[in-house]
Amino acid sequence: MTIKDVAAYCDVAVSTVSRVLNNHPDVSEDTCAKVLAAIAKLNYIPNNSARDLVTPQGDSIGVVVRGAENPFFTPVIRAIEARCELAGYTMVLHQIPAGADEVAAGAELVRSKRLRGLIFLGGRFDYSQHEANALGIPFVCCTNTNQFGDLEKTAYSSVSIDDFAEGFKATNLLVQRGHRRIAILLDSVTDHSVSELRYAGYCQALADAGIPLDTSLVFQTVAFSMPAAFERVSAYLAQSQDVTGIFAVADTMAIAAIKALHNAGLHVPQDVSVVAIDGIEMSLYTIPTLTTLSQPQETMGEEAVSILLDVLSGTSPNRHVRLETTLREGETLGVCKN
Amino acid sequence: MTIKDVAAYCDVAVSTVSRVLNNHPDVSEDTCAKVLAAIAKLNYIPNNSARDLVTPQGDSIGVVVRGAENPFFTPVIRAIEARCELAGYTMVLHQIPAGADEVAAGAELVRSKRLRGLIFLGGRFDYSQHEANALGIPFVCCTNTNQFGDLEKTAYSSVSIDDFAEGFKATNLLVQRGHRRIAILLDSVTDHSVSELRYAGYCQALADAGIPLDTSLVFQTVAFSMPAAFERVSAYLAQSQDVTGIFAVADTMAIAAIKALHNAGLHVPQDVSVVAIDGIEMSLYTIPTLTTLSQPQETMGEEAVSILLDVLSGTSPNRHVRLETTLREGETLGVCKN
DNA sequence: GTGAAAGCGCTAACAA
DNA sequence: TTGTTAGCGCTTTCAC
């Protein structure tokens, strides 16, 4: 079932069918109706590959997500898809495991799909110019700004929060409540990603408060997962309970930490306070409700698409957008009693 | 940068380049190496649309998800993508809002992408034969079996749990602990989807136990969301606390319900027991840990892809797979004290 | 082992 | 307003 069949069926030329398909102006009403009817009757579906082949551009935007199991991304992805669809683009989602190379995955996507642009979600911050060249299309880093790479600022876009500042802010919430035994819960202090930056903010906040850094309170989990966070905190508590505040770099980790504290017989926030960064829906329903710096998830996704569309249309060059978190007050932050 | 450029650069014919691209056997090593080098140097990327156009089949499998905000689907989707990739297929994800028509969305996907098959996640159960025809490619319903439609069993595949039986089982867990004031928390008793079937199981379990159905204990939320569940349970508790057990059709709803109970000063499971169906990771970390009938999420996704691949390859006809839940014992189920 | 050429389904000039 | 036709980039016979 091709456009030819439809044309033959209607006794018109293929170009006429093509015209009604792409609703070009000058087709007589009669012809148009006739063709439309035939299309419906024959259940004709245009071959998009043929279409793509002949039209200069594709209509897809790729999204590469590292750690899609993190519920933080769900609303972001939804926003991206909604925005793409609105603009007539199709979102092509690709999830990659924690260890995989997202730029390679992106290049592969570009290669196999006909992408116009790319959005990286939850990635590293250390792309090299060489890697980026392999991509060959505009891309925006969402949630990260590539601080550790050697990319020109003009070579890509980003939308993110200021991880250092937010890490500082979160830690400071604890400091201000009188906490001094403040732990940080993260995957790694050298992940070249959000954890590393937020860790730097944490260190700064401690330093500003005159609190020496105690590496035994740096809870690295290696894996960015709830079980890993749970195990890590449980392991610490089994040997020592000398901690009154925990800053978790993600809500999911905070929730796992609270469970570990609870299992160890510690109360939140009476014994230990917990703050996090993210603001996922789920943490509104934990007991107690999590106190967290909430990221504007939908806005992040929408902004990423907007930037991409602007760059694609030539409306504006690459740009870097910094979004603010808002403190979502819960019940896990209390005054230090020690 | 096309295959022609590469051919010209190497001083060979396009067909030769094509041969090495598709690693056909008879190309001399020298030529092969020369072409490969050129491809790398020129950073040549084959145009997939052109490829698709000339090859009979596409390589994509579509996934239409209703309610992607439900964390239940996350591992399912991940499993699907992993399995697709392993088999050389690309997953094309499409998320649709709660109210949207998934079959129409699927048809649209088929139309715009070159799909070989389709997987529906979290959909209705009432497709008509006519709708299915519009699809024109094999599809498998994941988590549902289309009990309410008029589809021939041979016209599609499915992988799901027995929602009636599991609803029965969940309710029975409460009955066996002596509960008689048992509420059910669901989106709608007439959603033509999982809720409706699990509700039937709930009714049956009550009937078998000689407990009359009390419609005031049927908590319909309309929306399938945490806020809706929270509000619905809170509203009930504000007017009456005459309930000792709640069966939630989803973990997320159960978590919201527990929060509502907690806010109303009720303890779980001392005052009210809660059981659910799903088994998402998050509910392992709630306080208390949720008691739930855990669905084999990864298996569901993998099975869906396996079936599709079998059908596509002609290895086997459409089939319907029923998976079992396993009771994941938590801390929210207790003996009724009244 | 390699090249020439046909044609996949479609769009967009260009003619009529 | 409609038809004719030349490709888009690629794979694949079929010759050589």
Side-chain angles (χ1 to χ4, degrees):
Chain A
M1 180 53 48
T2 78
I3 197 173
K4 263 188 211 164
D5 300 311
V6 179
Y9 184 89
C10 299
D11 242 354
V12 298
V14 290
S15 51
T16 302
V17 179
S18 173
R19 275 190 271 264
V20 341
L21 242 30
N22 301 281
N23 38 281
H24 282 240
D26 23 45
V27 183
S28 79
E29 283 211 2
D30 285 3
T31 319
C32 184
K34 187 168 57 173
V35 172
L36 252 22
I39 287 173
K41 192 163 311 166
L42 299 174
N43 208 284
Y44 163 69
I45 293 171
N47 179 324
N48 227 56
S49 297
R51 215 173 219 178
D52 280 352
L53 186 55
V54 81
T55 51
Q57 310 271 20
D59 64 341
S60 297
I61 285 176
V63 178
V64 177
V65 197
R66 148 144 341 130
E69 59 280 359
N70 187 344
F72 173 77
F73 292 125
T74 308
V76 182
I77 294 170
R78 205 173 25 185
I80 290 174
E81 210 216 348
R83 200 68 154 216
C84 281
E85 193 143 24
L86 217 63
Y89 287 88
T90 308
M91 179 191 77
V92 177
L93 215 211
H94 189 67
Q95 318 189 15
I96 57 169
D101 180 346
E102 74 229 49
V103 184
E108 173 62 28
L109 254 197
V110 171
R111 178 193 162 82
S112 62
K113 307 285 152 190
R114 301 195 71 220
L115 302 185
R116 295 285 306 277
L118 215 36
I119 295 174
F120 290 104
L121 229 52
R124 290 160 12 222
F125 288 58
D126 55 358
Y127 306 160
S128 71
Q129 189 65 54
H130 181 253
E131 286 179 301
N133 290 343
L135 256 25
I137 57 172
F139 64 95
V140 10
C141 298
C142 193
T143 74
N144 73 256
T145 55
N146 212 58
Q147 279 91 330
F148 300 101
D150 64 354
L151 235 46
E152 288 287 333
K153 280 282 176 199
T154 55
Y156 72 106
S157 292
S158 73
V159 25
S160 65
I161 60 169
D162 183 337
D163 289 291
F164 175 85
E166 302 294 348
F168 181 91
K169 215 192 284 181
T171 310
N172 233 5
L173 287 170
L174 292 161
V175 169
Q176 285 163 358
R177 300 299 191 289
H179 294 275
R180 296 184 64 85
R181 296 291 298 166
I182 302 172
I184 182 169
L185 179 58
L186 38 51
D187 63 336
S188 158
V189 298
T190 55
D191 69 346
H192 276 204
S193 184
V194 295
S195 286
E196 184 165 349
L197 291 165
R198 294 176 190 175
Y199 174 66
Y202 161 83
C203 292
Q204 184 67 53
L206 293 186
D208 286 6
I211 303 171
L213 179 67
D214 179 346
T215 54
S216 75
L217 291 178
V218 178
F219 299 163
Q220 301 189 66
T221 61
V222 186
F224 201 105
S225 72
M226 298 189 76
F230 177 81
E231 292 305 335
R232 185 65 188 78
V233 175
S234 295
Y236 176 80
L237 295 176
Q239 66 167 58
S240 163
Q241 309 213 146
D242 187 18
V243 57
T244 70
I246 299 178
F247 159 40
V249 298
D251 278 14
T252 51
M253 286 192 166
I255 293 171
I258 292 170
K259 183 74 173 179
L261 289 163
H262 177 263
N263 286 5
L266 294 171
H267 295 274
V268 176
Q270 294 86 340
D271 300 316
V272 180
S273 288
V274 177
V275 300
I277 297 179
D278 266 357
I280 62 176
E281 181 180 49
M282 185 63 74
S283 61
L284 280 170
Y285 297 95
T286 54
I287 298 170
T289 305
L290 185 63
T291 296
T292 187
L293 296 176
S294 177
Q295 303 195 53
Q297 300 165 286
E298 279 81 9
T299 307
M300 294 184 98
E302 289 167 1
E303 195 62 37
V305 178
S306 294
I307 293 175
L308 207 44
L309 295 179
D310 286 351
V311 173
L312 288 175
S313 69
T315 309
S316 68
N318 275 305
R319 64 181 190 269
H320 299 268
V321 173
R322 268 281 156 79
L323 266 20
E324 294 270 320
T325 65
T326 54
L327 174 60
R328 206 181 74 190
E329 298 205 42
E331 306 157 342
T332 58
L333 176 58
V335 172
C336 183
K337 304 220 179 84
N338 301 8
Chain B
M1 181 52 49
T2 77
I3 197 173
K4 263 188 211 163
D5 300 310
V6 179
Y9 183 88
C10 298
D11 242 352
V12 297
V14 291
S15 48
T16 302
V17 179
S18 174
R19 276 189 271 263
V20 342
L21 241 31
N22 301 280
N23 38 282
H24 281 240
D26 22 46
V27 182
S28 77
E29 283 211 1
D30 285 2
T31 319
C32 185
K34 186 168 58 173
V35 172
L36 252 20
I39 287 173
K41 192 163 312 165
L42 298 175
N43 208 283
Y44 163 70
I45 293 170
N47 180 324
N48 227 55
S49 297
R51 216 169 219 183
D52 280 352
L53 186 56
V54 81
T55 51
Q57 309 272 22
D59 65 341
S60 298
I61 285 176
V63 178
V64 176
V65 196
R66 144 135 356 117
E69 59 279 0
N70 187 346
F72 173 76
F73 292 123
T74 308
V76 182
I77 294 170
R78 204 173 24 186
I80 290 174
E81 210 216 348
R83 200 69 154 217
C84 281
E85 193 143 25
L86 217 63
Y89 286 89
T90 308
M91 179 190 77
V92 177
L93 215 211
H94 188 67
Q95 319 190 16
I96 58 169
D101 181 345
E102 72 228 50
V103 184
E108 173 63 28
L109 255 197
V110 171
R111 179 193 161 82
S112 62
K113 307 284 153 193
R114 303 193 72 219
L115 303 185
R116 295 288 304 278
L118 214 37
I119 295 174
F120 290 103
L121 228 53
R124 290 159 14 223
F125 288 58
D126 55 359
Y127 306 160
S128 70
Q129 189 65 53
H130 180 253
E131 286 180 300
N133 289 343
L135 256 25
I137 56 172
F139 64 96
V140 10
C141 298
C142 193
T143 74
N144 74 255
T145 55
N146 212 56
Q147 279 91 333
F148 300 102
D150 65 354
L151 236 46
E152 288 287 333
K153 280 283 176 199
T154 55
Y156 71 107
S157 291
S158 73
V159 26
S160 65
I161 59 169
D162 183 337
D163 289 290
F164 175 86
E166 302 294 347
F168 181 91
K169 215 192 283 181
T171 309
N172 233 5
L173 287 170
L174 292 161
V175 169
Q176 285 162 358
R177 300 300 191 286
H179 295 274
R180 296 185 63 85
R181 296 290 299 165
I182 302 172
I184 182 169
L185 179 59
L186 37 53
D187 64 335
S188 158
V189 298
T190 56
D191 69 347
H192 275 204
S193 185
V194 294
S195 286
E196 184 165 350
L197 291 165
R198 293 176 190 176
Y199 173 66
Y202 161 83
C203 291
Q204 184 68 52
L206 292 186
D208 286 6
I211 303 171
L213 178 68
D214 179 346
T215 54
S216 75
L217 290 179
V218 178
F219 299 163
Q220 299 189 68
T221 61
V222 185
F224 201 105
S225 72
M226 298 190 76
F230 177 81
E231 292 305 335
R232 186 63 187 77
V233 175
S234 296
Y236 176 81
L237 295 175
Q239 66 167 57
S240 163
Q241 309 213 147
D242 187 17
V243 59
T244 70
I246 298 178
F247 159 39
V249 298
D251 278 14
T252 51
M253 286 191 167
I255 293 170
I258 292 169
K259 183 73 172 178
L261 290 164
H262 177 264
N263 286 4
L266 295 171
H267 295 274
V268 176
Q270 295 84 341
D271 300 317
V272 180
S273 288
V274 178
V275 300
I277 297 179
D278 266 356
I280 63 176
E281 180 179 52
M282 184 63 74
S283 60
L284 279 171
Y285 298 95
T286 54
I287 299 172
T289 305
L290 184 64
T291 297
T292 187
L293 295 176
S294 178
Q295 303 195 53
Q297 299 165 285
E298 279 80 9
T299 307
M300 294 184 97
E302 288 167 1
E303 195 62 36
V305 177
S306 293
I307 293 175
L308 207 44
L309 296 179
D310 285 350
V311 173
L312 288 175
S313 68
T315 309
S316 67
N318 275 305
R319 64 180 189 268
H320 298 269
V321 173
R322 267 282 155 79
L323 266 20
E324 295 270 320
T325 64
T326 54
L327 174 60
R328 206 180 74 191
E329 298 204 43
E331 306 158 341
T332 58
L333 176 58
V335 172
C336 183
K337 304 221 179 84
N338 299 7

